[in-house]
Each structure stands twice: as structure tokens, then as C-alpha cells.
Amino acid sequence: MTTAAAPAHSPRLLRQLLPAELQPDGAARRRTARDWAVDVALFVAAVLIGLSVYDLEAAGRPVPELIQFADLVAGTVLCLALFWRRRIPLALAVATALAGAFSPLSGGAAIVALLTLGARGRPGAVLAVGAVHGLLSPLYLHLYPDAELSFWPSVAWTWLVLAAITAWALFVGARRQLVHSLRERAVRAEAEQELRVAQARQLERTRIAREMHDVLAHRISLLSLHAGALEFRPDAPPQEVARAAGVIRDSAHQALQDLRAVIGVLRTPDEPGDEPERPQPTLSDLPGLVAESRSAGMRVQLTQQLPEPAALPAHAGRTAYRVVQEGLTNARKHAPGAAVQVAVAGEPAQGLTVEVVSRGPVGGAAGIPGAGTGLVGLAERVSLAGGRIEHGRTPAGDFRLWTWQPWPA
């Protein structure tokens, strides 16, 4: 049980190794273990630097006691204030710059405050605070003159050191901004990747629904018609009942094969050479489709006017086949017993047209349930092929389904 619980806590432990600014918990963040370690280290470094500067420049100098007391208070307060440097970076940097005019003990705190201000991504404020340090440095050198250099060479040397520290602060800020921009870019790329995955899943679901409808609706409607005939003629001779039962069995087997073929389309091959089964009906399969409908009792008339059927692209033939299949399925559902006319015509560079006209129903509706999305999916299929689709009732009361799609020369 201990090994199972350890991975659950590991993300929390890893988050403690990151700064609070990089935590995914929002704006109000607590200090992490890393932040506390950095704050303590910088406080110790500021104290050591301040003591070193005081030992080099102020120890044993004839400085008024009031200045020495102010130096001690300012150095102590400003070093302790480094624990709040992330909340008040500008105020702390300005305070340390002003204290730099008389306080050697605040020298380390001044360096940390300037670097913190640079890390906040405020280069203008860094330059301004650096300028304040430069302007007040002559006053500091007047209180604590250099023992080896004269006044102005000491000022020049101090300005050079301040310029180096200011440049360092600007570099830290630029690097911090680069890290933040890279992190934001990674987060945005991850979100975009998740969006692409969600869109791909939605497209795959739509593809599954379209394939299932196109392939299985035709078979299921045939099964319904044969079963309805048995129900309508319970006193039929045994030979006719056996023949109808055989047709139902064959249609059920064919429906299972079609379902297996659809799953083959959606399945990803495991090996490069393992290609899945892909049901790819073309215009050459239209006579078989019409024959199946006729065997189920439909009156279907097929007319084809294709001078060069071999030149028709395979994807165009599949789309035309699906159009006829959807038209016959809708005719069985909504106009049982009605005559259906199927016309396919076209030639290269002119386009391919498919028209399915079902007459008004002879009796009531067949009662076959439907999802009501067949024509929607068909319109999407035709649109992807670069074609157009029209469907609806004619003035004579017939239902007309018409599509056109390009036929490249």
C-alpha cells in the first residue's frame, strides 16, 4: 500500500521544487519549499555582503554616531524585508537605493532588490533605480572615501560596478520573460493539441455514424420488409415461408458482413502491410443493389447513361452508390409499395448526376424507425466530394433526391 500511495504524492513534491509563479493554482499562490530556500539563501547572502562592505569601507572611519545607527537600522530592516521582495519589488528597490547613500550594511540587500526588480520584467524601473544609485553614490563616497583612489576615480569605479549590476538585473529579467513565454507557448500548444484530439474524436464519431447508417440501414430495411411480408401472410404456403425465412437469414448474414466491413474501415492496421477490409462499392454494384430491392418487393427502374464508366474516379462511384442506397432505403421506409426511378448520368468534365424519385406511398408508412440523419450525412458526404444535393417533395407529391458531383476530365 505504501508503493501505491507514493505516486499520488509525487506531483505535490515535484511542485514544491518549482517557484510559486510556475504553479498552476492561479494568482494567489503560497511559497513553495524552493521559494523558502531561495529567500533564506538570499537573506544570508545579503547579510554577508553587507558585513563585508561595512568591514572594507566603514569600519574604523570617523562617521557620526547618528549615521552609524541609521546604517545599522537600515541594513537590518532592508535585509529582513527581502522576505517580502516578491510583493513589493519596486518599493524595496527604491528604499535600498536611498539607503545606499549612507548605509554599507544595506549593500547586499540593494543588489538582491535590483535583481528581483529585474526578474519581475520591469526594465524601465531597473534603469531608474540604477540611476538613483549612481546619483547618490558621490554622497556615499563622501561619507566613506576610498583609501587608495581619489574621489572622482572612486565615483567612476562605483558607476562601473553599478552598470554591471544593472545589466545583470536586465539579463535576469529577459531570461525570466523568455522562460515565461516558453511556458505559455507550451501550455498553449498542449491546449491546441487537446483540441485537435477532441476534434479528431468527434470527426471519427461522425464517420462511424455515417458508415453505420449507410451500410446497415439498407440491410435492416430489407429485413423489415421480409418480416412484414411474413406477418402479413401468416397463412402462406410452407414453401413461401421457408423462402422468406431463407431471405431473412441471408440478409441477416449480409448485414453482419457489412458490419464487419465497417469495423474494418474504422480499425487501424497493426502492421504496415496489414490493410483492413474496406467496403468500397462503386457504380458497378448498382445492379446488385437494385436486384436486392426488387427481391424485397420494390419496383425499381434503373437507368444509366455513362459513356465512359471506367473513367469515373472510385470515390465518385462510392458517393453515387451511397446516394442510390439512401434513396432506396428512404423509399422502403416512407413509401412502401411505391415505384422508384433511379437515373445515373454524366460524362467527364461535365459531372455526375444521380436522381432517385420515389412515387407517393401506396399504403401507409412501413413503420421502420430511423435516426433522421441519413440525408444530413449524405449531404456532408456529397459536400466533401465537391458536389451539390437537392431533396424534397415535387408538385406531384413524389420525393426527389438529386445530387451532382464533379467528374474530372
Side-chain angles (χ1 to χ4, degrees), residues 129-189:
V129 172
V132 173
H133 276 288
L135 291 176
L136 296 180
S137 58
L139 181 59
Y140 174 86
L141 293 174
H142 180 72
L143 291 174
Y144 307 99
D146 194 290
E148 298 179 358
L149 296 177
S150 59
F151 180 76
W152 288 111
S154 299
V155 172
W157 172 253
T158 303
W159 285 350
L160 182 61
V161 173
L162 289 175
I165 297 175
T166 304
W168 184 15
L170 293 175
F171 171 76
V172 170
R175 184 179 179 277
R176 178 67 66 89
Q177 288 298 316
L178 177 61
V179 171
H180 279 291
S181 64
L182 292 177
R183 178 176 178 270
E184 291 176 359
R185 187 179 302 176
V187 171
R188 185 166 57 250

Side-chain angles (χ1 to χ4, degrees), residues 58-77:
R61 298 291 177 89
V63 181
E65 295 183 358
L66 180 61
I67 299 297
Q68 295 181 8
F69 178 75
D71 178 22
L72 179 61
V73 173
T76 304
V77 172

